[in-house]
Amino acid sequence: MSVLDKQLVPIFEEVLDRNPGEAEFHQAVREVLESLGPVVTKHPQYADSAVIRRLCEPERQIIFRVPWVTDSGKIEVNRGFRVEFNSALGPYKGGLRFHPSVNLGIVKFLGFEQIFKNSLTGLPIGGGKGGSDFDPKGRSDAEVMRFCQSFMTELYRHLGEYTDVPAGDIGVGGREIGYMFGQYKRITNRYESGTMTGKGLSWGGSQVRTEATGYGTVFFIDEMLKATGASFEGKRVVVSGSGNVAIYAIEKVHQLGGTVIACSDSGGYVVDPAGIDVALLQEVKDERRGRVSEYATLRGDTVTHVADGSIWDLACDIALPCATQNELDTEGALALIRNGCQIVAEGANMPTTPDAGRLLLEAGVRFAPAKAVNAGGVATSALEMQQNASRDSWTFEHTEDRLAEIMRGIHDRCLETADEYGTPGSYVAGANIAGFTRVADAMLALGVI
Ligand code: NDP
């Protein structure tokens, strides 16, 4: 662990004391605080005003019961969460995650990260996150619909285009957003498109929102490559996960001239030396709701499926963790270093353990953190809100251009800020500091709230 500035130690100790057992939340807070030493030294007002302590405490935390009935008539009870973390820059904005691992600590880590990510985009959006320990895997469409309707029957009272605007995350895609938006519309009797993002194109959605997190991730890496005069041409890329972020990251890498040779799910990984066939992967994941093992079977003999083992053992130039938190540990980092990987960029939220991140940096691997790399998803959500507010819809090309421009802006802001605070080339410091200062300045302007 890096040493914390002495002004920040009591703040971190208070976070540990007040939030026992929330390991992922502690990790996310520590990661930001580790970058803020030069900031509090240069600008004492941030320490004097307790703005960092205030940032670590969510504005509101909502926990609720979600009862629903299975196809066979059994009653299930799940737990729903929405953490409205910070609204200094705009309405709370952040996705909903449906996965059995979801608990308050996970939602708080995601919500905390979201504050700085949203700030970094330069757009008027605050930070929040939510979800449930419901597992959509293996459930029928009717069961998923009943769950989503029950979830929204409580959540709707906390939402609104000027209040709190959820979107998707792990386990929440177009199907789930549709069921939840439908229930919101039915309960409120209002067609408030700007209350949720990630909607379908015919009912208020934006072009490029589905692709945005994956595309944005690759646009960011493209900027990293360009900064050293390189490009994706001929690069071998490994992508973990095979969900929304992973699929569109793979597609964009291929469009820019690289080759993604492997992807994964929680049951293992597939190696496809000719390059992952995105259309087939989409068919397996989106249409059949299947596994990457099925992709290997359908694709034929040149593809192998490895059930045990780590995708990070594969030799590659660029690694993109796009599945879940803490999926890239020290063993994975050491394997990547050994095999000559040059860039690791986080498509998922906090996928790299702190020790793994440190090893990569010490070995000279260029490492870029999630709050910068995957901010294209939420940025395009903000563009969806903008279109909803003006009752407009933009073309794919225009929206993709806006996304690319936003990712370029985030990339440059990271490097400029890192330079300004004496850590040249550090995307981690740049992202944390640039995200922090914008939101902290807004909080200071708004008084003690
Ligand atoms: P999806 O549900 O579409 O896909 C998730 C993928 O990750 C699946 O392949 C899944 O495999 C795998 N996965 C999930 N949990 C685990 C686990 N515990 N162990 C191993 N593999 C796992 O989610 P997204 O693609 O939307 O999200 C992926 C990451 O990107 C998350 O960290 C999310 O927070 C982040 N993100 C997403 C954004 C978005 O717009 N969707 C925006 C910004 C960040 P399996 O099916 O086997 O579980």
Side-chain angles (χ1 to χ4, degrees):
M1 253 186 220
S2 300
V3 180
L4 278 185
D5 183 281
K6 67 176 185 316
Q7 296 183 77
L8 300 169
V9 171
I11 299 177
F12 187 59
E13 282 172 354
E14 187 179 48
V15 168
L16 294 178
D17 265 7
R18 285 168 68 84
N19 305 279
E22 296 178 356
E24 292 83 1
F25 179 50
H26 303 162
Q27 184 182 334
V29 172
R30 172 132 197 148
E31 202 245 312
V32 172
L33 295 187
E34 283 181 2
S35 297
L36 295 188
V39 186
V40 289
T41 304
K42 194 168 174 183
H43 305 291
Q45 74 267 26
Y46 292 132
D48 298 346
S49 60
V51 74
I52 304 175
R53 284 178 60 210
R54 285 189 272 150
L55 258 166
C56 293
E57 184 69 20
E59 289 177 16
R60 191 174 297 105
Q61 307 182 53
I62 303 149
I63 303 181
F64 51 100
R65 179 172 67 202
V66 190
W68 59 281
V69 183
T70 68
D71 289 345
S72 62
K74 186 167 172 255
I75 295 171
E76 298 281 352
V77 182
N78 286 99
R79 188 170 289 173
F81 301 89
R82 186 72 182 165
V83 173
E84 297 181 334
F85 225 116
N86 195 295
S87 60
L89 295 175
Y92 309 107
K93 183 85 199 83
L96 298 169
R97 175 177 292 191
F98 292 168
H99 193 272
S101 65
V102 167
N103 57 38
L104 185 60
I106 299 264
V107 178
K108 277 164 71 177
F109 118 63
L110 291 163
F112 186 75
E113 286 260 310
Q114 198 81 46
I115 303 171
F116 306 99
K117 178 184 312 188
N118 294 5
S119 168
L120 206 47
T121 65
L123 298 165
I125 38 180
K129 199 83 186 190
S132 172
D133 57 1
F134 170 70
D135 188 358
K137 245 185 243 137
R139 293 292 179 188
S140 69
D141 285 351
E143 288 177 320
V144 170
M145 181 181 74
R146 286 196 291 278
F147 172 81
C148 288
Q149 290 178 338
S150 180
F151 184 84
M152 188 50 82
T153 301
E154 170 57 33
L155 189 66
Y156 89 96
R157 70 188 85 243
H158 307 286
L159 306 184
E161 65 178 311
Y162 298 109
T163 312
D164 186 348
V165 185
D169 191 82
I170 291 178
V172 178
R175 173 181 63 169
E176 292 76 16
I177 295 287
Y179 294 149
M180 286 190 274
F181 183 67
Q183 184 73 347
Y184 180 87
K185 187 181 82 58
R186 182 190 196 192
I187 295 174
T188 58
N189 192 31
R190 290 164 70 90
Y191 207 107
E192 291 176 4
S193 309
T195 300
M196 292 196 87
T197 59
K199 301 181 296 295
L201 291 178
S202 61
W203 39 280
S206 171
Q207 296 282 0
V208 192
R209 176 59 190 92
T210 306
E211 297 85 352
T213 310
Y215 278 19
T217 293
V218 175
F219 286 145
F220 190 95
I221 302 161
D222 197 36
E223 294 300 320
M224 291 174 78
L225 288 163
K226 283 183 190 153
T228 58
S231 79
F232 265 106
E233 207 56 54
K235 297 277 187 303
R236 282 162 316 161
V237 183
V238 164
V239 174
S240 67
S242 49
N244 173 270
V245 179
I247 286 175
Y248 293 102
I250 297 170
E251 184 169 82
K252 187 52 77 181
V253 168
H254 289 170
Q255 286 173 10
L256 296 186
T259 305
V260 177
I261 55 165
C263 67
S264 65
D265 59 25
S266 54
Y269 65 90
V270 285
V271 186
D272 189 341
I276 298 286
D277 179 335
V278 176
L280 180 61
L281 183 62
Q282 260 171 325
E283 186 193 316
V284 168
K285 300 300 289 191
D286 291 346
E287 286 165 36
R288 300 165 177 244
R289 297 197 182 273
R291 320 293 301 151
V292 291
S293 53
E294 283 172 59
Y295 170 91
T297 311
L298 291 166
R299 182 91 155 121
D301 291 345
T302 53
V303 177
T304 37
H305 177 256
V306 182
D308 300 313
S310 165
I311 194 169
W312 311 122
D313 287 341
L314 298 170
C316 63
D317 303 302
I318 300 173
L320 297 186
C322 292
T324 194
Q325 63 273 0
N326 293 328
E327 54 163 314
L328 172 52
D329 59 10
T330 48
E331 262 178 55
L334 289 170
L336 287 171
I337 294 164
R338 209 169 36 244
N339 290 322
C341 176
Q342 293 137 34
I343 291 182
V344 174
E346 297 186 323
N349 284 317
M350 209 170 74
T352 315
T353 65
D355 288 340
R358 241 176 313 279
L359 283 175
L360 292 168
L361 288 169
E362 280 164 15
V365 176
R366 298 173 74 210
F367 175 71
K371 43 177 94 61
V373 174
N374 71 25
V378 75
T380 309
S381 277
L383 302 182
E384 182 173 333
M385 291 163 73
Q386 210 172 313
Q387 292 167 77
N388 292 151
S390 58
R391 307 212 184 287
D392 197 0
S393 62
W394 306 342
T395 62
F396 193 96
E397 292 71 24
H398 175 68
T399 319
E400 192 182 16
D401 285 349
R402 289 288 311 269
L403 170 64
E405 185 189 322
I406 290 168
M407 296 315 296
R408 204 161 34 245
I410 294 173
H411 174 270
D412 294 352
R413 212 165 298 139
C414 286
L415 289 188
E416 284 157 17
T417 310
D419 272 350
E420 189 186 335
Y421 284 88
T423 49
S426 170
Y427 287 98
V428 174
N432 283 333
I433 298 173
F436 167 77
T437 48
R438 180 168 177 247
V439 71
D441 289 344
M443 287 176 75
L444 292 183
L446 297 178
V448 180
I449 53 164

